[in-house]
Amino acid sequence: EEAEKRPQKFLIFEQVVKELGESKEIKLESIKCGIFPDPTNRSRVIFQTRDKHTLRFFIAILELNQSKIIMLEADTTSLIKAKGASTLILGLKEDANTNLMEIIQHFSDSGAQWRHYYIHERVNYFTSCNHPRLKSKGRLLSEVEYKNKWVITLKEKLTQVT
């Protein structure tokens, strides 16, 4: 399900992904902000957000060297008990939609955590990419500096995947 209300973090993710899509070797196919599905167990973490909305995720589909790459990120900073999470870079196995939905569902069921063993069973390749630090040499980065660092980091990770 697509989210109507997009958090600030999605707007930054969107700008970063669009900038990646401007490079000649990467084609941006789509980007959206989705809502995690209800857990199939008693886990309630995805409902414990600061803005009272169910936890959202960001997904971008890219094409690189004729391979489809999925970038997936949970908006874990919206959680009341904020968690660090990385951007996942995935090359899904056959039946990609089913595998992607299972990975997203498993996150909901796992207390808002990516379980790497579970992901590895559903992908041909997988890496995670940590966000850049907000501070550099004791000073807070500007939004532009932060986005630039993130673009560079993601480009490096993408070249390792294909």
Side-chain angles (χ1 to χ4, degrees):
E1 178 182 353
E2 192 150 353
E4 287 179 31
K5 188 168 170 72
R6 291 172 161 81
Q8 173 65 25
K9 190 174 176 187
F10 175 75
L11 301 176
I12 295 171
F13 177 83
E14 185 176 40
Q15 290 169 4
V16 166
V17 171
K18 282 182 176 176
E19 192 169 323
L20 282 172
E22 290 172 5
S23 59
K24 65 179 183 232
E25 64 275 357
I26 301 170
K27 178 183 171 204
L28 174 61
E29 290 193 6
S30 67
I31 183 169
K32 75 173 193 172
C33 181
I35 300 169
F36 277 100
D38 289 352
T40 58
N41 56 20
R42 296 191 192 281
S43 180
R44 309 311 306 147
V45 176
I46 65 160
F47 303 117
Q48 298 166 355
T49 61
R50 292 187 188 134
D51 63 5
K52 308 290 186 240
H53 289 89
T54 302
L55 192 67
R56 289 155 294 210
F57 62 87
F58 319 132
I59 186 167
I61 301 173
L62 307 166
E63 188 176 306
L64 180 64
N65 298 332
Q66 298 166 346
S67 296
K68 292 256 191 278
I69 310 267
I70 308 294
M71 289 179 54
L72 180 62
E73 179 162 329
D75 183 23
T76 54
T77 56
S78 293
L79 292 170
I80 292 169
K81 292 181 181 174
K83 300 178 177 202
S86 52
T87 303
L88 302 183
I89 299 172
L90 310 170
L92 296 163
K93 288 184 177 177
E94 298 208 9
D95 203 1
N97 285 343
T98 299
N99 285 316
L100 180 61
M101 290 302 109
E102 287 176 357
I103 290 168
I104 290 169
Q105 182 67 56
H106 196 259
F107 182 91
S108 290
D109 295 345
S110 299
Q113 293 183 35
W114 300 120
R115 302 285 187 208
H116 291 195
Y117 70 88
Y118 189 87
I119 294 167
H120 277 288
E121 294 171 354
R122 287 155 182 80
V123 299
N124 291 318
Y125 48 86
F126 157 57
T127 191
S128 58
C129 182
N130 293 327
H131 285 240
R133 295 185 186 274
L134 293 171
K135 286 185 175 183
S136 177
K137 298 176 184 159
R139 73 170 183 84
L140 205 56
L141 296 177
S142 71
E143 192 172 301
V144 170
E145 290 171 315
Y146 179 80
K147 282 188 286 193
N148 288 343
K149 274 187 123 171
W150 198 8
V151 168
I152 290 165
T153 303
L154 285 170
K155 267 188 183 174
E156 287 171 0
K157 289 286 186 175
L158 285 167
T159 57
Q160 293 169 11
V161 168
T162 56

